[in-house]
Every structure is written in structure tokens, then in C-alpha cells.
Amino acid sequence: MGFQVRERGGGSVRFSIEGVEGLPEVIAGADLAGLIVGALAEPLEDGDILVVTSKIVSKAEGRIVHADDREQAITDETVRVVATRENPAGGAPTRIVENRLGIIGAAAGVDASNAPDGTVLLLPIDPDASARSIATGIRSLTGARVGVLVSDTLGRPWREGQTDVAIGAAGVRVFDDLRGQADASGKPLAVTMPCVADELAGAAELVKGKSAGVPVAVVRGLGHLVGDLDLPGARSIVRPADRDMFRRGADEAYEEGYRDGFDEAQAEGPLREA
Amino acid sequence: MGFQVRERGGGSVRFSIEGVEGLPEVIAGADLAGLIVGALAEPLEDGDILVVTSKIVSKAEGRIVHADDREQAITDETVRVVATRENPAGGAPTRIVENRLGIIGAAAGVDASNAPDGTVLLLPIDPDASARSIATGIRSLTGARVGVLVSDTLGRPWREGQTDVAIGAAGVRVFDDLRGQADASGKPLAVTMPCVADELAGAAELVKGKSAGVPVAVVRGLGHLVGDLDLPGARSIVRPADRDMFRRGADEAYEEGYRDGFDEAQAEGPLREA
């Protein structure tokens, strides 16, 4: 399988995360693997994992449009509208949509933060391919068998605030699949499948921050999660809508049901007397 | 405010997470603060954050019932049914519910994993109070100004797998509120409010695992997130249902809409001719 076996119960389990500072401003066509390797304070080792903010991937891939085209860009990136709500700040309503990648989020990931003035950034076309390209480049430059995650900031239902999650992955297990294993008391862990890629992306946010100009973090000490470059990517984290209990906003689903119920009652004709 | 100012753009940002091993089996009435301090390999320092799995908090608080009473326990813990689905493994349907704490999850957090044979564990009554009690105890025992999170494993809409999140917090900022700050290009970060407590809980899962018997992790190097014990707890992460676009399952909302629409059409009487 190409994985190291995770050492459980023996030895101390410890990892560290460090922000990579001093990266130059990324422009279209930039060689991210080279820029990252050049900015590292310490050499990479087998099993290190790099978490790269999608912003700089988008910039390197030229995924940038004029801010005037923002609403159109959101529409273009949208596969399915999941829910909409009035924007408390005024202006266009907030659109929660499923984008080309199957990812559900506000504004299809189209974002003005950290984009050059007058522009907005779109998400990378294929973040798993972006991650693979960066991982291949870094492995080639350094000889170290590293993994790469591409992260983005997403809100979520039911809980306030945002967390960073993985939208691209290469050479990293995205799930630590414990199904079939047993807990400490010997009972099978039937449904436990921690999404370690999302946990890593969130952990990296703790050092990257949003405004500090630290778009890359290095995770050291979790080499058991690093594997071959053909491991499933972050696309495998996305749950298909037809298996998702929350595939539409509650208001939107209610309104569709209301219309259908109303139409059905009318089609049945006059109310029969009891 | 009692916070250290986060150093942005100056100096290297780095933190580490280590699992605390060798904790004894936790039984009802156990002094968790004392057990954790006794198991630590290195002394705690100001700014350290302990992430404690809710399982051992539940055990210490005696939140345990017979497995035969599982379905009733779920019902007792449930404030509102959000969605239900057939269990592919057979047996009782999976219930996604809002529990006493406002947390939405499967089976109201009632869980047999890592519970003694024939029993299931309930979530702590008030995980913020549990976190405060542990933090107070550890601060008193060690003199170190530490923060404490109580974590639990939750599934989420739209994305496969689970992540650990914070259900209790004391002495830790649960959000790194960037609203009003500017990004690297000077634009205001209007809606950015990373839920650092959830990111920390997820990061700790990476060392704790589910079956390794490592129920506590120590985070070192993020002291800017540690503050007074009266900071808002993890309860403040929970979004009230009336402000949540996904407060009900799509099927459930559709069905309610359908019934209402049907009834409304019938109440309007016979279809008027156009």
C-alpha cells in the first residue's frame, strides 16, 4: 500500500507545524514548487506534508478575473444553487452553491481577499492536479517523499466561523480509515473515518492566519499519512449530493415541497366531502 | 482583554502537538486535572492548550448508561430531530438530532466506542463547565496559565468522514476574530472568523487517534489563543437553528412543505377556472 504503519500505543506521538515565510508575491505562471523549496528554512524530509493555501495556487494558475465580473464568475463556477440568503451588508444576496468541484460554499469560492486590487480569485481548476504538480516538483527538487494539500477556507452548517479544509491532495491519505479496526476495549469502530486532510488543513490555518502573508505550512511528524502520488485526492472527500441529507437549504426544500403539494392537491380536483 | 497579541509577519510561527500517554482508565469521580498533570512527560507552560477527548470527561462525570437503554438515551438527549435515515447496517434508523447543547450530530453523541462492555457514554452535561473545571484544576496544580478544550468526533454535511471539534472550552479563544482587520493587500476581511477551537480539536485528533488510548493532547506554541477562564466557551460556536440555512434535512423540509402546500390548496377550495 505504500504507507508506513501508524505506531499506536508505542512511543510518543508528536508533530509540529511551521509557517513558511518569505515567499515572494506569486504571479501567473510561477513555479510554486521552486518558490516553496527556496523559502524553506530547513530541508524537507520524507513524510513531511506541505499545506498550500489555494490563493497562491489560483494566482500561479492565472485564475483571476476583474472584480466587476464577480457575480458572473460565481454564476460560471456554479453547478447548483444550494441556498441563498439576503446579505446583511446589502448588495447581492449570498449564494451557497455547489461548484465544479462538488464543493459547497459561499460564492463558489470566488474571493476578493488577498487578490490584487480590482480583481477576484477563482478556485484552481483542479486542485488535486495542482497538488500533484506541486508534490511532484518538490519531490524532484529535494528527493524528499512529501505530501501536499491545497487548502481553502469554508463556512459550515450548524457551527459559526470557518475552518480551513483540503480541496486538493497528493501523496497524503485524506482519510485515516479506522473502519474494521477495534477501539481500546475491543469493539469495532464501525463508522469512524477521520478526515485527516481536513484536520491537517485546519491545523495549518493556525499558523498561516489570513493576513500574515504565510500561505504555506510544513507539517512534520505525521509521515504515516504520506504515500504514493496516486492516492485518492481531496475530490474523494466530497459527498455526492444524492447521498447528502443536507443537499439543499431547508427553506428552499420546503418551498419546493409546498409548490409540489399545492399543485398535486389542485390536480386531484375539488376536495371530496368526507 | 487578557490576550497576548499575535505576532504577525515577524518571527517564525510554529506549534507542536503531543499525545499524553499513560493515563489510567478513567472511572466515575476521577480527578481529570490531577490525572493529566500526573501523566505529562514535560511540565506545562503558560500558553499551553490541552485538548481532552469528551469520552474521558463523560466517564469521570459518570455519564454512562446500559447499552440496552441506548435508543431511549438518544431520545432523552434529543431536543429536535433534524433528519433521519435508514441504517445501511440494519437496526434502528440513524437519527441526526440537535442535543441539549445545541450540537447537531448522529445519535446525540451517545456512543458505544471506548465505553465499557454493555454500556454507552453520553456527552458531558455541560462541556464548557467541564473544561473550566479541568483548566482551573491544572492551573492550580501547575501554576501554568493553560487553556482546555473538550473535543468530540462529529460528521458533517457535504463532506465524508468525521473531524474532531470543540464542544467545551475554557481559557481559549474559540474564534480568531479577524473581522475588521485587513488582508495582505489592505482590503478588509469582512467575514473571516476562523474557528480556531475546532481547528485545534481536529489537529489534536491527528495524534490522539481513535483506538490508541491517547485521550489528551498538549498544544504548545499558540499562547496567543490562551486567555482568561471567563472567555466565551464552545457554546458560542453553535449557530442557533433559526439562523441556520440547514437546520433541517432537505427531505424533511420538502415533506413538511408538501403537506402544507397540499393542505393550503385544499383549504382554498375547488380550482378556479382560468
Side-chain angles (χ1 to χ4, degrees):
Chain A
M1 295 288 285
F3 303 139
Q4 295 172 246
V5 174
R6 182 169 188 172
E7 209 175 331
R8 288 189 184 278
S12 151
V13 190
R14 183 180 182 284
F15 72 98
S16 68
I17 306 194
E18 183 158 6
V20 178
E21 298 183 88
L23 273 170
E25 184 65 29
V26 173
I27 58 171
D31 164 30
L32 284 181
L35 291 181
I36 291 168
V37 170
L40 289 167
E42 289 176 62
L44 291 170
E45 295 179 10
D46 286 354
D48 288 350
I49 299 167
L50 292 117
V51 184
V52 181
T53 306
S54 64
K55 298 279 170 206
I56 64 167
V57 178
S58 297
K59 287 180 183 178
E61 297 179 356
R63 296 279 293 157
I64 189 164
V65 298
H66 284 289
D68 291 348
D69 303 327
R70 179 175 184 273
E71 292 302 315
Q72 185 59 45
I74 296 171
T75 300
D76 294 345
E77 294 278 299
T78 295
V79 169
R80 185 173 70 86
V81 176
V82 173
T84 57
R85 61 174 164 186
E86 294 303 311
N87 187 340
T94 298
R95 287 184 264 173
I96 310 294
V97 304
E98 181 182 326
N99 73 2
R100 296 171 294 102
L101 304 164
I103 296 169
I104 297 179
V110 176
D111 190 7
S113 298
N114 286 305
D117 269 349
T119 67
V120 292
L121 291 171
L122 316 183
L123 289 180
I125 286 278
D126 180 349
D128 282 330
S130 307
R132 209 172 308 119
S133 164
I134 297 167
T136 302
I138 293 178
R139 287 183 179 200
S140 162
L141 286 167
T142 65
R145 192 160 175 271
V146 301
V148 170
L149 296 174
V150 173
S151 68
D152 195 34
T153 304
L154 286 181
R156 58 266 172 91
W158 311 337
R159 297 176 75 77
E160 303 284 5
Q162 302 88 37
T163 58
D164 274 21
V165 300
I167 65 167
V172 186
R173 290 162 64 184
V174 296
F175 297 111
D176 192 11
D177 197 339
L178 304 177
R179 291 175 299 181
Q181 293 192 31
D183 68 12
S185 63
K187 280 193 288 289
L189 286 163
V191 296
T192 305
M193 193 172 77
C195 184
V196 289
D198 282 355
E199 292 178 330
L200 282 163
E205 195 282 323
L206 293 166
V207 299
K208 291 190 299 186
K210 285 292 159 295
S211 53
V214 179
V216 180
V218 184
V219 182
R220 294 187 169 97
L222 294 175
H224 65 280
L225 299 176
V226 173
D228 297 335
L229 292 181
D230 59 359
L231 284 171
R235 192 69 174 80
S236 66
I237 303 171
V238 174
R239 180 180 297 136
D242 61 3
R243 294 202 294 109
D244 197 299
M245 286 186 278
F246 301 93
R247 65 193 170 278
R248 298 196 66 191
D251 288 347
E252 285 78 5
Y254 177 91
E255 282 158 23
E256 184 188 346
Y258 189 98
R259 283 192 303 272
D260 287 353
F262 194 95
D263 291 349
E264 176 64 23
Q266 288 201 329
E268 283 190 6
L271 180 62
R272 286 180 293 276
E273 299 295 329
Chain B
M1 294 286 286
F3 304 137
Q4 296 172 246
V5 174
R6 181 171 190 172
E7 211 175 329
R8 287 188 185 280
S12 151
V13 190
R14 184 178 183 285
F15 72 98
S16 68
I17 306 194
E18 183 159 5
V20 177
E21 299 184 88
L23 274 170
E25 183 65 29
V26 172
I27 57 171
D31 165 29
L32 284 181
L35 291 181
I36 292 168
V37 169
L40 289 167
E42 289 177 61
L44 291 170
E45 294 179 10
D46 286 353
D48 287 351
I49 299 167
L50 293 117
V51 184
V52 181
T53 306
S54 64
K55 298 280 171 206
I56 64 167
V57 178
S58 297
K59 288 180 182 177
E61 296 179 356
R63 295 278 294 158
I64 189 165
V65 298
H66 284 290
D68 291 348
D69 303 328
R70 179 175 184 273
E71 292 302 315
Q72 185 60 44
I74 296 171
T75 301
D76 294 344
E77 294 278 299
T78 295
V79 169
R80 185 173 70 86
V81 176
V82 174
T84 57
R85 61 175 165 186
E86 294 304 310
N87 188 340
T94 299
R95 287 184 264 174
I96 310 293
V97 304
E98 180 180 327
N99 72 2
R100 295 171 294 102
L101 304 164
I103 297 169
I104 296 178
V110 176
D111 190 7
S113 298
N114 287 305
D117 270 349
T119 67
V120 292
L121 291 170
L122 316 182
L123 290 180
I125 286 279
D126 180 349
D128 281 331
S130 307
R132 208 172 310 119
S133 164
I134 297 167
T136 303
I138 293 178
R139 287 183 179 200
S140 161
L141 286 167
T142 65
R145 192 159 175 273
V146 301
V148 171
L149 296 175
V150 173
S151 67
D152 196 34
T153 304
L154 286 182
R156 59 265 171 91
W158 312 336
R159 297 177 75 77
E160 302 284 5
Q162 302 89 36
T163 59
D164 273 21
V165 300
I167 66 166
V172 186
R173 291 162 63 184
V174 296
F175 298 110
D176 191 10
D177 196 339
L178 304 177
R179 290 175 299 181
Q181 294 191 31
D183 68 11
S185 63
K187 280 193 289 288
L189 286 164
V191 296
T192 305
M193 194 173 75
C195 183
V196 289
D198 282 354
E199 292 178 329
L200 282 163
E205 194 282 323
L206 294 165
V207 299
K208 290 190 299 186
K210 285 292 161 294
S211 54
V214 179
V216 180
V218 184
V219 183
R220 295 186 168 98
L222 294 175
H224 65 281
L225 299 176
V226 173
D228 297 335
L229 292 180
D230 59 359
L231 284 171
R235 192 69 174 78
S236 66
I237 303 172
V238 175
R239 181 180 297 135
D242 60 3
R243 295 202 294 108
D244 197 299
M245 286 186 279
F246 302 93
R247 64 192 170 278
R248 298 195 67 190
D251 288 346
E252 285 78 5
Y254 177 91
E255 283 159 23
E256 185 188 345
Y258 190 98
R259 284 193 302 273
D260 287 353
F262 195 95
D263 291 349
E264 176 64 23
Q266 288 202 328
E268 283 191 5
L271 180 62
R272 286 180 295 277
E273 301 293 331

